[in-house]
Amino acid sequence: MKRCYLLIISALFFRFAISQSVQIIPEPESVTAKQGNFILSSKTKIVTNVPGKGTKTAVYFINYLSRFYNISPDRNKAGFHNNFILFRYENNKDTLGSYTLNVSKDSIIISSGNEEGLFYGMQTLIQLLPTTVSPTLQIPTVFVKDAPRLAYRGMMLDCGRHFMPVDFVKKYIDYLALHKFNIFHWHLTEDQGWRIEIKKYPLLTQKGAWRNGTIIGHHPGTGNDCEKTGGFYTQDEIKDVVKYASDRYITIIPEIEMPGHSSAAIAAYPQLSCFPNQDTKILSGVKWCGDSTGKQVQQSWGVYPDIYAPTDYTFKFIENVLDEVIKLFPSKYIHIGGDEAPKDYWKKSDYCQQLIKNLGLKDEEGLQSYFVQRIEKYLNGKGRQIIGWDEILEGGLAPNATIMSWRGEEGGIAAAQQHHNVIMTPGGWLYLDHSQIKNEDSLTIGGYLPIKRVYEYDPYSSKLTKEETKYISGLQANVWTEYMADPAKVEYMIFPRMAAVAEIGWTQIKNKNYDDFKIRLQNEIARYKLWGNNYCKSWDNQPDTE
Ligand code: ACM
């Protein structure tokens, strides 16, 4: 009997010791703990088995160790019989991103049939590293088998409302990498700023990237800071960021908004408007700074009626812009926006009304559908596919479009039923601009989205049949920056909720468990601290509802 107690107690102790040290987010498919540790130090050798395969991953890991632990392991194949880390590329057809990670006392072997898998295995290994700095690191021995649940796991960053410097965009990409996301949706054009250099249209960045002030407080604001603000990414910077992401197995999907959210482009090229000579509309209650005549970049948030006129001039402009965009971004998908495009100006415009008649369209929604379909055809002709916000369902869906469902799940459900690919990004679960704590004292857009609610989300709606569910490619969280003026605020809003988004995108449903996630999250937060990230400290124990 005594022996039996002893066995139980030691088993419990062993379990406790494992749960203390093996805390991985997102939770892998299976984790089998072993006894003992691997000791990582500058003497450890880091090797690959196939020339060129896993090299980027090995370099990433070496740089990581040097940056955070001041450890410089040996990237050398000679004599790696003990204390080595091997990135083992296997010539098989593993699911994209799947891997095994075998930590033993003498070796760590990460194996995969694809380079993404080697990279994800390395990210899991990073999560096993202590969060305190020391010249020798103890890594618990463990066998991990893993694969992603969803093919598309994304996060968006809005660099239109507030320009974010390149260094931070790269940090954001590293945050995505740590959490095994594979898509960075880069929102690059807005009413409040155009952020991508387009050589053919220099005014887009000379004029459209800057505003003469920003409202203070919630829209319409209590005043205006009257500070000139803005910025843009040069094409060289974009190429650099695209490569940076690609080295981390992250695809960047650029978003070039149309026909709405285009005030900045119109400020640069007024002919894009239905009414080029009409002053920019300033929303009621907004205090304006500087010139308010002619076309201006907006200084407050919201939805604006001055949208692109569907003229030959505009279509040529968009095609020229997209020609430059697709040279910079190799992604299969280009996001063309499509949301929140009020039809007031199209209704008032004789040109638009005549066009609706000439094309035999029903109404202005039909005209937006025509607009989107024309751009889709252009991009399809260049070998690309479009993604649009769920408004592009209205007036008829473009034949090959992927839908990003943001106004709830309904748009995504309707699109999947029409056999269109869908990315679920419903505001009620995945908009990280909502407050994550009930008594939020920093300025946010409002709404309430505690981490538990994010964690509960599943993009496979029960309203879909098994066949229709196949059209749900994945999910994405969105970070709109109206009320995030700088990187520190973005970090505060994404951490730690981003960890929950990662887990619902990667982890099999059967392995999801909020209480267990919360325990593992402590370790992730310790890592955020090691990285020096800002984060929301009061995320736990928030009420479920407002
Ligand atoms: C959106 O949040 N307007 C897509």
Side-chain angles (χ1 to χ4, degrees):
M1 193 61 184
K2 237 183 185 167
R3 268 192 63 180
C4 197
Y5 278 136
L6 265 176
L7 272 175
I8 291 172
I9 287 167
S10 53
L12 280 176
F13 179 78
F14 185 52
R15 178 95 195 85
F16 176 74
I18 292 165
S19 66
Q20 285 295 295
S21 51
V22 180
Q23 298 179 356
I24 303 163
I25 286 180
E27 176 69 10
E29 204 171 279
S30 76
V31 177
T32 313
K34 303 194 264 182
Q35 256 174 321
N37 293 301
F38 176 94
I39 306 297
L40 197 161
S41 71
S42 289
K43 294 201 185 102
T44 303
K45 301 220 181 288
I46 298 201
V47 290
T48 50
N49 66 326
V50 175
K53 300 284 185 193
T55 312
K56 280 189 276 187
T57 297
V59 169
Y60 184 102
F61 189 61
I62 289 168
N63 290 340
Y64 186 89
L65 291 172
S66 150
R67 176 157 173 222
F68 291 108
Y69 299 95
N70 206 16
I71 290 178
S72 313
D74 195 358
R75 169 95 178 89
N76 183 344
K77 210 169 165 118
F80 71 94
H81 50 283
N82 65 23
N83 201 260
F84 64 90
I85 300 176
L86 168 63
F87 293 96
R88 186 167 69 194
Y89 181 81
E90 292 176 329
N91 208 357
N92 63 27
K93 296 222 168 356
D94 278 350
T95 325
L96 199 65
S98 67
Y99 69 91
T100 59
L101 163 67
N102 193 0
V103 182
S104 307
K105 285 184 191 159
D106 294 340
S107 66
I108 297 180
I109 300 177
I110 297 173
S111 307
S112 179
N114 49 81
E115 294 208 65
E116 282 83 346
L118 294 178
F119 187 77
Y120 296 142
M122 182 272 294
Q123 290 294 348
T124 298
L125 177 57
I126 282 180
Q127 300 217 344
L128 298 178
L129 300 178
T131 49
T132 47
V133 178
S134 138
T136 54
L137 305 177
Q138 281 197 13
I139 303 178
T141 53
V142 68
F143 182 76
V144 174
K145 186 174 178 319
D146 206 3
R149 179 180 185 224
L150 302 175
Y152 183 115
R153 305 175 305 280
M155 292 259 304
M156 183 276 272
L157 182 64
D158 166 15
C159 295
R161 270 48 175 267
H162 281 105
F163 176 73
M164 298 291 158
V166 169
D167 280 357
F168 180 67
V169 174
K170 287 183 171 175
K171 268 192 180 176
Y172 193 83
I173 289 168
D174 277 323
Y175 302 156
L176 296 186
L178 174 70
H179 294 87
K180 301 190 178 89
F181 287 92
N182 60 351
I183 302 286
F184 170 41
H185 169 177
W186 200 0
H187 187 76
L188 285 166
T189 70
E190 257 307 332
D191 295 305
Q192 297 81 8
W194 180 282
R195 306 296 179 210
I196 169 172
E197 179 190 23
I198 300 293
K199 306 248 191 221
K200 202 164 189 136
Y201 297 99
L203 295 181
L204 283 172
T205 43
Q206 280 169 25
K207 185 152 197 244
W210 307 94
R211 58 178 183 262
N212 289 325
T214 305
I215 57 150
I216 296 166
H218 272 130
H219 174 88
T222 54
N224 191 313
D225 66 14
C226 292
E227 280 172 26
K228 184 166 177 177
T229 186
F232 64 92
Y233 308 103
T234 65
Q235 294 204 349
D236 282 345
E237 285 172 329
I238 288 175
K239 281 183 208 152
D240 179 45
V241 172
V242 167
K243 173 164 187 328
Y244 191 87
S246 148
D247 286 349
R248 287 149 181 76
Y249 300 94
I250 290 170
T251 300
I252 303 187
I253 298 180
E255 181 179 357
I256 307 296
E257 273 264 10
M258 62 192 80
H261 289 290
S262 301
S263 305
I266 290 171
Y269 295 95
Q271 216 182 318
L272 294 166
S273 165
C274 291
F275 302 103
N277 299 321
Q278 198 171 303
D279 291 348
T280 287
K281 186 178 167 73
I282 298 171
L283 296 186
S284 150
V286 170
K287 297 223 167 38
W288 192 263
C289 281
D291 189 5
S292 62
T293 61
K295 299 295 187 191
Q296 297 292 333
V297 178
Q298 288 291 350
Q299 300 178 11
S300 184
W301 321 122
V303 172
Y304 295 93
D306 207 352
I307 68 173
Y308 287 141
T311 56
D312 288 345
Y313 174 82
T314 299
F315 284 115
K316 196 69 209 156
F317 165 83
I318 294 175
E319 287 172 12
N320 288 336
V321 166
L322 290 174
D323 283 350
E324 294 192 32
V325 168
I326 59 182
K327 280 205 189 105
L328 295 169
F329 295 95
S331 70
K332 175 175 161 195
Y333 293 101
I334 304 291
H335 201 306
I336 53 102
D339 61 320
E340 298 179 324
K343 303 299 179 305
D344 316 37
Y345 282 27
W346 284 6
K347 283 196 176 114
K348 280 192 257 168
S349 151
D350 293 340
Y351 169 81
C352 290
Q353 291 308 309
Q354 193 56 47
L355 188 61
I356 289 172
K357 277 203 197 100
N358 293 353
L359 294 170
L361 302 170
K362 190 159 153 264
D363 53 16
E364 293 75 23
E365 303 306 336
L367 187 53
Q368 170 150 342
S369 175
Y370 162 79
F371 195 117
V372 170
Q373 293 200 29
R374 201 165 146 170
I375 298 302
E376 177 182 72
K377 202 162 164 208
Y378 185 75
L379 281 171
N380 286 173
K382 305 265 169 185
R384 307 302 178 98
Q385 298 288 326
I386 64 162
I387 301 181
W389 299 109
D390 57 54
E391 283 93 332
I392 71 166
L393 278 153
E394 292 156 13
L397 203 42
N400 306 312
T402 293
I403 292 296
M404 217 169 237
S405 189
W406 73 279
R407 296 175 301 177
E409 293 189 289
E410 289 69 24
I413 291 167
Q417 285 166 344
Q418 293 174 44
H419 295 182
H420 280 256
N421 288 334
V422 170
I423 295 140
M424 284 294 192
T425 174
W429 289 273
L430 296 176
Y431 266 41
L432 303 190
D433 52 345
H434 294 315
S435 301
Q436 59 195 315
I437 57 176
K438 191 158 158 39
N439 296 313
E440 176 61 69
D441 55 12
S442 77
L443 190 68
T444 76
I445 203 161
Y448 176 56
L449 180 60
I451 190 167
K452 184 160 184 271
R453 184 167 162 85
V454 177
Y455 194 83
E456 281 163 359
Y457 184 65
D458 179 12
Y460 289 164
S461 166
S462 58
K463 293 189 186 135
L464 293 172
T465 63
K466 203 166 169 215
E467 185 56 30
E468 289 160 354
T469 300
K470 289 190 191 142
Y471 291 94
I472 309 293
S473 312
L475 57 76
Q476 177 175 294
N478 293 331
V479 181
W480 299 106
T481 59
E482 286 95 330
Y483 299 98
M484 301 180 210
D486 53 38
K489 185 65 186 281
V490 172
E491 291 183 352
Y492 172 82
M493 296 301 283
I494 63 175
F495 294 126
R497 288 184 294 190
M498 178 178 194
V501 182
E503 187 142 317
I504 62 180
W506 180 279
T507 301
Q508 297 298 333
I509 286 283
K510 65 177 177 6
N511 288 335
K512 260 179 74 179
N513 177 319
Y514 184 65
D515 291 332
D516 186 61
F517 169 75
K518 275 196 349 180
I519 294 169
R520 286 178 284 118
L521 192 53
Q522 301 295 349
N523 194 46
E524 192 78 331
I525 288 173
R527 206 164 310 283
Y528 298 157
K529 285 192 202 161
L530 177 73
W531 285 30
N533 303 346
N534 192 22
Y535 68 98
C536 172
K537 292 165 186 80
S538 316
W539 59 273
D540 198 7
N541 293 325
Q542 293 297 319
D544 287 352
T545 52
E546 217 158 355

